[in-house]
C-alpha cells in the first residue's frame, strides 16, 4: 500500500510528482540502486506504467522518442554506475534534437559516495555535458522541490534534466528529513507556464522586405515547422518557393506536395540541391540542418530564419533577419506582409526537376536484378503504410532508403535520431510510438548493423503487444560507412563486413514472426503476408551489399576519391556495374559535369 501523505518517501514524492506532471510512462531497467523508486512505481502501476527494456540505452532512446512523438515529457530510469552510464547515447540524442527528457538514476548510499565503493560513479558529473538541470538529491525535503523543477526545466528548455538519488535516500520519509527553516513545504507548483512567443514587428517588416525583393526564394523546413503546415503552404504559395525538408521535418508536408522538393543533403534530392545553389533568398523554418555544405554559398542568398530559440538563429548560414517565435504564429504574421509573386519560374523549374527525379527513383525501385536491390523492397514497404502510420528509421543506408523511397502522406508521421544520427535508435523509437499511440500502426526501417545492436529489444515489442512491422535491410555490411570511407578520403572499404544473423529466426525465438525476402519476384507476396500478420513482425530483406549510396550530386573531389578507392575495394566490379547504370550514372554526372577523370 502507498505511504500515508505524512510518511511519503523521496521515491513516493518523485513518482507522485511525475503523475502530477502528466507523465504516464517510465522506461527503464531495475537494479539495486533504484529499489525504492521501483517500489514507488509498483504501488502506483494503476496510474503510471513502467516499461522494462533490455538495455538502458533503449530506455533513453524510448524516452526521447516518446517526447518527440507526443510533445510531452519523456522519462527514463536506470540504476547506479553502469546502468546510468548506459543512458548516455539516448540522452545525447534528446539533447541534440531538443527533446524534453527526465533521466532518473540511482546512487550508492549517501554516506558512501566518493569512497570508491561498488558502482561509485558520480553521474551528475557524467551528465553535466548534456543536462539543462542536473542535481544530486539530498533528502526527501529536497526531492519535494527539485522533482518538479527538473520536469519544468526539461520542458522549458527542451532538453535533458537529471536527478541522481542515493538508494537509502529513496526510502527516507519526508517527516524524517532535516528540513531547513527556509524550505517551506510545497512551495513549488507542479506545473509550468507557456506563453505566445512572437517576433518583433520591426523584424517582421524587415523579413518581408527581404523576401518581397527576391526573385528566387527557397524554403528549408524542419521539425520546428510541425503544426504549421497550413501557414507554410501559404508562405510557399506567396513566394512561389520550393520547399526542401530536413530529415526530421519529413512529415511536415506530404512528399508529393506541389511545393516539396524532398530532402536535402546526402540523403536528399537533386532538385533540392539545385534550388539551394540557385536561390537568391532562403527561409529557414524550425531547422538547424547541420550540413553547412548543402546551404547556399555565403553571400549568395539573403536569409530569414524562424525559430523559437534565439540561440539557433544563424547557426548554419548568415541570417539577415531572425524571427524568434513559434512557427505557425510567426508565419501568419509574416504572410500578411508578403506580396504574391507573379513570376513562378523558379518554382516551376524545381517542379520539373522533381518530375525528372521521380522518374530516376522509379528506375531504381523497379529493378529486377539479383541480388535484390534495397530500393525495391523499401519502396514496396512504403507503399503499404496505412494513412495513420508512424514510421521510424535507424541511422545508415536504411535512412537514405526511408528518406528517398518512402513517400509520406497526410496523417503519417516519421522520426529518427537526427543530429546525433545514432545507430540502434530505430527499434526503440518504434516501440515508444506503439506504446504512446496504441491505436496507430507502427513501422520501422532499420539496417542489420543497427538492429543487431539492440536485437533483444524486439522481445520488448512482443512483451508489450506493439504491432510492429520492422523491415531489416540485410546487406551484411555497415553500408553507409563503406561509401563514406571511399568518398570522403579515397580509402578502400575496411572493417565494415558483418557476420550474418538470421533475423527472421531471431524474431520467432523472441515470440514474434519472421519473414525473409531475397528475390525481387517475392517482394510483393511476402510483404502482403507480413502486413497481414498480427503482432510484432520482422521482415528481413537480403539485398545487394554493393549498391552504392550516393548524394544527389557527387562533388568532383568525392568522385575522384571514390574512383581512387575502387580498385582495392572488395566487390569493385559489381560497384562499377552499379554506377554505370541509371540512376546512379546520372547522379554522378550531375556533380562532375561529365568529367570522366572525376567520375
Amino acid at each position: 500500500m502507498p505511504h500515508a501523505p505524512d510518511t511519503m518517501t523521496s521515491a513516493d514524492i518523485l513518482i507522485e510528482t511525475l503523475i502530477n506532471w502528466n507523465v504516464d510512462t517510465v522506461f527503464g531497467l531495475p537494479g539495486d540502486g533504484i529499489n525504492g523508486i521501483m517500489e514507488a512505481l509498483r504501488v502506483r502501476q494503476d496510474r503510471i506504467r513502467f516499461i522494462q527494456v533490455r538495455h538502458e540505452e533503449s530506455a533513453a532512446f524510448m524516452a526521447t522518442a516518446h517526447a518527440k512523438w507526443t510533445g510531452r515529457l519523456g522519462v527514463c530510469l536506470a540504476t547506479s554506475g553502469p546502468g546510468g552510464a548506459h543512458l548516455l547515447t539516448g540522452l545525447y540524442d534528446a539533447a541534440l534534437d531538443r527533446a524534453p527528457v527526465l533521466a532518473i538514476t540511482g546512487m550508492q548510499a549517501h554516506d558512501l559516495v566518493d569512497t570508491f565503493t561498488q558502482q561509485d560513479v558520480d553521474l551528475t558529473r557524467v551528465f553535466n555535458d548534456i543536462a539543462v538541470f542536473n542535481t544530486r538529491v539530498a533528502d526527501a525535503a529536497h526531492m519535494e522541490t527539485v522533482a518538479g523543477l527538473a520536469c519544468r526545466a526539461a520542458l522549458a528548455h527542451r532538453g535533458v534534466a537529471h536527478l541522481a538519488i542515493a538508494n537509502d535516500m529513496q526510502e527516507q520519509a519526508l517527516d524524517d528529513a532535516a528540513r531547513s527553516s527556509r524550505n517551506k513545504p510545497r512551495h513549488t507548483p507542479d506545473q509550468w507556464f507557456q506563453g505566445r512567443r512572437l517576433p518583433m514587428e520591426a523584424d517582421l517588416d524587415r523579413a518581408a522586405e527581404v523576401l518581397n525583393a527576391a526573385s528566387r526564394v527557397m524554403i528549408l523546413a524542419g521539425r520546428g515547422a510541425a503544426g504549421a503546415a497550413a501557414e507554410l503552404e501559404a508562405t510557399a504559395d506567396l513566394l512561389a518557393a520550393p520547399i526542401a525538408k530536413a530529415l526530421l521535418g519529413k512529415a511536415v508536408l506530404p512528399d508529393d506536395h506541389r511545393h516539396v522538393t524532398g530532402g536535402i543533403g546526402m540523403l536528399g534530392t537533386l532538385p533540392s540541391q539545385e534550388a539551394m545553389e540557385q536561390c537568391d533568398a532562403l527561409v529557414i523554418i524550425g531547422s538547424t540542418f547541420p550540413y553547412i555544405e548543402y546551404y547556399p554559398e555565403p553571400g549568395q542568398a539573403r536569409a530569414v530564419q524562424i525559430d523559437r530559440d534565439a540561440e539557433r538563429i544563424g547557426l548554419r548560414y548568415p541570417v539577415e533577419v531572425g524571427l524568434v517565435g513559434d512557427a505557425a504564429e510567426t508565419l501568419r504574421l509574416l504572410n500578411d506582409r508578403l506580396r504574391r509573386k507573379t513570376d513562378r519560374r523558379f518554382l516551376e523549374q524545381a517542379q520539373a526537376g522533381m518530375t525528372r527525379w521521380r522518374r530516376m527513383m522509379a528506375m531504381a525501385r523497379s529493378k529486377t536484378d539479383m541480388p535484390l536491390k534495397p530500393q525495391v523492397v523499401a519502396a514496396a514497404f512504403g507503399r503499404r503504410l496505412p494513412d495513420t502510420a508512424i514510421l521510424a528509421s535507424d541511422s545508415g543506408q536504411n535512412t537514405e532508403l526511408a528518406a528517398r523511397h518512402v513517400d509520406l502522406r497526410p496523417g503519417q508521421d516519421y522520426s529518427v535520431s537526427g543530429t546525433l544520427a545514432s545507430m540502434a535508435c530505430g527499434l526503440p523509437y518504434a516501440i515508444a510510438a506503439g506504446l504512446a499511440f496504441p491505436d496507430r500502426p507502427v513501422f520501422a526501417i532499420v539496417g542489420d548493423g543497427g538492429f543487431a545492436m539492440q536485437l533483444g529489444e524486439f522481445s520488448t515489442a512482443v512483451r508489450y503487444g506493439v504491432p510492429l512491422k520492422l523491415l531489416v535491410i540485410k546487406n551484411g555490411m555497415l553500408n553507409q560507412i563503406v561509401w563514406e570511407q571511399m568518398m570522403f578520403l579515397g580509402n578502400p572499404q575496411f572493417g565494415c563486413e558483418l557476420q550474418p544473423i538470421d533475423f527472421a529466426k531471431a524474431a520467432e525465438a523472441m515470440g514474434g514472426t519472421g519473414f525473409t525476402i531475397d528475390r525481387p519476384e517475392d517482394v510483393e507476396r511476402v510483404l502482403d503476408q507480413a502486413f497481414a500478420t498480427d503482432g510484432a513482425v520482422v521482415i528481413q530483406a537480403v539485398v545487394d551489399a554493393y549498391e552504392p549510396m550516393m548524394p544527389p550530386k557527387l562533388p568532383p573531389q568525392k568522385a575522384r576519391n571514390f574512383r581512387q578507392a575502387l580498385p582495392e575495394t572488395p566487390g569493385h566490379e559489381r560497384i562499377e556495374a552499379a554506377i554505370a547504370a541509371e540512376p546512379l550514372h546520372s547522379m554522378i554526372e550531375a556533380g562532375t559535369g561529365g568529367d570522366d577523370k572525376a567520375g
Side-chain angles (χ1 to χ4, degrees), residues 70-341:
T70 68
R72 304 195 306 271
L73 182 65
V75 180
C76 54
L77 172 64
T79 191
S80 54
H86 284 160
L87 294 174
L88 272 174
T89 302
L91 294 181
Y92 268 101
D93 186 32
L96 293 179
D97 280 353
R98 310 301 298 276
V101 170
L102 172 62
I104 303 165
T105 61
M107 294 168 50
Q108 295 307 305
H110 79 283
D111 55 355
L112 290 176
V113 170
D114 295 332
T115 66
F116 307 105
T117 189
Q118 186 183 41
Q119 297 190 342
D120 189 11
V121 178
D122 186 347
L123 291 170
T124 57
R125 292 183 187 177
V126 173
F127 289 9
N128 201 47
D129 183 48
I130 54 171
V132 298
F133 182 89
N134 186 17
T135 194
R136 180 187 295 181
V137 180
D139 60 11
H142 192 211
M143 178 69 85
E144 192 179 47
T145 300
V146 297
L149 186 55
C151 296
R152 184 181 299 112
L155 288 162
H157 295 284
R158 292 180 297 135
V160 175
H162 172 231
L163 296 174
I165 313 155
N167 56 20
D168 56 331
M169 286 295 103
Q170 294 169 28
E171 300 178 69
Q172 183 190 54
L174 182 58
D175 52 8
D176 291 336
R179 183 187 295 275
S180 66
S181 60
R182 295 178 61 193
N183 183 8
K184 300 301 182 184
R186 295 179 296 280
H187 69 269
T188 56
D190 285 338
Q191 57 184 310
W192 72 302
F193 302 93
Q194 301 182 74
R196 297 172 69 203
R197 179 171 291 186
L198 301 176
M200 302 290 287
E201 292 286 329
D203 290 335
L204 286 162
D205 292 339
R206 288 174 55 219
E209 289 174 9
V210 168
L211 298 175
N212 285 331
S215 59
R216 302 182 305 280
V217 182
M218 180 68 178
I219 294 175
L220 172 61
R223 187 167 62 98
E231 293 80 4
L232 176 58
E233 286 184 285
T235 305
D237 180 64
L238 287 165
L239 296 173
I243 302 171
K245 298 187 295 185
L247 188 60
L248 286 176
K250 183 172 172 62
V252 167
L253 287 175
D255 282 309
D256 64 354
H257 190 279
R258 65 188 183 281
H259 282 271
V260 167
T261 55
I264 184 72
M266 178 76 175
L267 314 178
T269 71
L270 185 58
S272 287
Q273 185 161 342
E274 289 177 336
M276 280 287 189
E277 292 169 352
Q278 298 164 13
C279 68
D280 62 2
L282 173 65
V283 187
I284 306 169
I285 305 170
S287 175
T288 52
F289 172 70
Y291 296 100
I292 297 170
E293 63 269 31
Y294 289 99
Y295 287 81
E297 289 294 323
Q300 168 197 317
R302 304 174 74 185
V304 172
Q305 185 171 355
I306 299 171
D307 202 290
R308 59 182 176 181
D309 186 348
E311 185 182 18
R312 297 276 161 153
I313 301 287
L315 270 183
R316 313 298 184 207
Y317 190 79
V319 168
E320 188 168 336
V321 186
L323 301 177
V324 181
D326 299 313
E329 297 258 18
T330 301
L331 286 173
R332 277 196 289 271
L333 294 170
L334 180 62
N335 289 344
D336 290 339
R337 293 165 164 81
L338 296 178
R339 296 191 298 269
R340 191 174 193 276
K341 295 192 182 298

Side-chain angles (χ1 to χ4, degrees), residues 371-375 377-378 397-398 401 444-452 455 470-479 496-507 515-519 538-547 574:
L372 174 65
K373 298 296 183 182
Q375 303 93 326
V377 67
Q397 189 181 29
N398 66 90
L401 296 170
I445 300 176
V446 302
D448 47 359
F451 185 36
L455 180 59
L470 187 143
L471 175 64
V472 184
I473 303 300
K474 181 179 176 179
N475 49 31
M477 195 82 73
L478 297 172
N479 213 274
C496 296
E497 301 93 340
L498 298 172
Q499 176 68 18
I501 297 172
D502 191 328
F503 295 106
K505 287 184 178 178
F515 293 89
T516 299
I517 306 173
D518 57 10
R519 301 186 63 82
V538 163
I539 308 152
Q540 69 171 351
V542 183
V543 301
D544 189 355
Y546 300 103
E547 179 69 9
R574 287 168 59 182

Side-chain angles (χ1 to χ4, degrees), residues 12-79:
D12 293 326
I13 294 167
L14 172 61
I15 303 307
E16 285 290 339
T17 300
L18 295 182
I19 293 169
N20 290 339
W21 280 81
N22 298 316
V23 173
D24 59 12
T25 306
V26 175
F27 303 95
L29 191 64
D32 61 2
I34 51 173
N35 280 339
I37 298 170
M38 291 301 300
E39 174 61 10
L41 284 167
R42 184 189 70 82
V43 299
R44 292 169 177 82
Q45 56 189 300
D46 59 332
R47 292 189 290 154
I48 187 169
R49 62 181 172 176
F50 174 73
I51 300 297
Q52 184 212 82
V53 300
R54 305 303 289 260
H55 193 290
E56 291 93 348
E57 180 180 288
S58 290
F61 274 133
M62 290 181 194
T64 300
H66 178 90
K68 288 183 181 181
W69 295 126
T70 68
R72 304 195 306 271
L73 182 65
V75 180
C76 54
L77 172 64
T79 191

